[in-house]
Amino acid sequence: MSKRTSAKYKLDRRMGENVWGRPKSPVNRREYGPGQHGQRRKSKMSDFGLQLRAKQKLKGYYGDVTEKQFRKVYAEAVRMKGDTSQNLIGLLERRLGIIVYRAKWAPTVFAARQLVNHGHVLVNGRKCNIASALLKPGDVIELGPKAREMVLVLEAAQSSERDVPEYVTVDGLKASYVRVPTLDEVPYPVKMEPNLVVEFYSR
């Protein structure tokens, strides 16, 4: 796993949006960008700028995925049949870390990745500590004994901040990945534009 080198909420300020939909986001207090020129009037962004922004936002949302990893996911989406932008979202939503997050076992994507990396998650009864591992429909994930007693996990499960999407079913401390979702089914707090990401990489 790559280490995040900057504060996660810097992405919110840079994008001017509450990317994860969290009440702690600094965008809730300051809608303008960071730095001494943050309050200047924004000039019209070029097509390249819009595409780059869409890519950075999607990468950041999934836990600051590295460029190398993200490009690999995109290449896989291109190889698959069907709409590349839908395939890209489908692949990102199959990652173990994000399914732990969708099951409401962690308050943030980053906390979900950490739970996996520390060996607290089992996939089909076997320990898996790779947050980027891809699940298949029908796979069952569950929390290890130590994680079941963590305050962070218990608080996240009871939080009303977000709901469990239809493509994940949760039964207490077990969850099943039901199917690959479409873009419309993914509960993003802000608008994601994978079509612009495809345009960025296919230049």
Side-chain angles (χ1 to χ4, degrees):
M1 176 196 169
S2 60
K3 189 177 178 185
R4 190 176 75 245
T5 53
S6 64
K8 61 176 179 277
Y9 286 126
K10 281 187 178 178
L11 181 73
D12 281 8
R13 296 269 331 263
R14 200 162 64 239
M15 297 295 163
E17 294 177 276
N18 190 347
V19 174
W20 294 281
R22 300 227 66 208
K24 284 183 180 176
S25 174
V27 174
N28 298 338
R29 297 188 302 275
R30 298 186 294 262
E31 290 187 353
Y32 52 87
Q36 63 177 342
H37 305 301
Q39 294 184 65
R40 280 189 179 177
R41 194 175 64 187
K42 287 179 182 144
S43 55
K44 193 169 181 289
M45 207 177 279
S46 66
D47 287 348
F48 173 79
L50 290 169
Q51 292 161 6
L52 178 63
R53 181 188 167 93
K55 176 181 76 81
Q56 298 297 75
K57 189 162 63 168
L58 198 62
K59 261 175 64 175
Y61 178 83
Y62 283 97
D64 271 353
V65 180
T66 63
E67 181 61 31
K68 188 177 178 181
Q69 267 191 326
F70 198 74
R71 193 177 273 275
K72 198 175 168 185
V73 174
Y74 170 75
E76 181 61 31
V78 170
R79 277 196 295 271
M80 293 164 69
K81 286 182 181 176
D83 185 330
T84 303
S85 58
Q86 291 281 5
N87 292 343
L88 180 64
I89 296 300
L91 285 168
L92 290 168
E93 283 293 316
R94 282 175 55 194
R95 292 161 73 92
L96 178 57
I98 203 73
I99 296 300
V100 170
Y101 174 66
R102 296 285 181 231
K104 285 180 70 176
W105 290 344
T108 65
V109 178
F110 302 97
R113 284 171 65 102
Q114 194 170 34
L115 265 182
V116 176
N117 290 326
H118 289 185
H120 293 303
V121 178
L122 285 76
V123 178
N124 299 328
R126 298 178 69 179
K127 189 188 285 188
C128 180
N129 61 359
I130 301 166
S132 60
L134 296 182
L135 298 185
K136 298 186 189 80
D139 281 352
V140 176
I141 61 170
E142 59 185 303
L143 289 171
K146 280 187 183 175
R148 292 169 188 227
E149 296 167 13
M150 286 182 182
V151 175
L152 172 127
V153 172
L154 298 172
E155 285 181 352
Q158 291 163 9
S159 169
S160 57
E161 207 175 287
R162 56 197 169 85
D163 297 317
V164 178
E166 288 182 8
Y167 52 91
V168 177
T169 58
V170 179
D171 181 14
L173 298 168
K174 274 192 177 183
S176 296
Y177 176 56
V178 181
R179 57 185 164 77
V180 178
T182 61
L183 175 60
D184 298 337
E185 291 178 298
V186 181
Y188 293 121
V190 295
K191 187 183 179 188
M192 292 293 180
E193 297 166 301
N195 56 311
L196 293 182
V197 179
V198 173
E199 286 174 21
F200 177 85
Y201 282 123
S202 56
R203 279 176 301 118

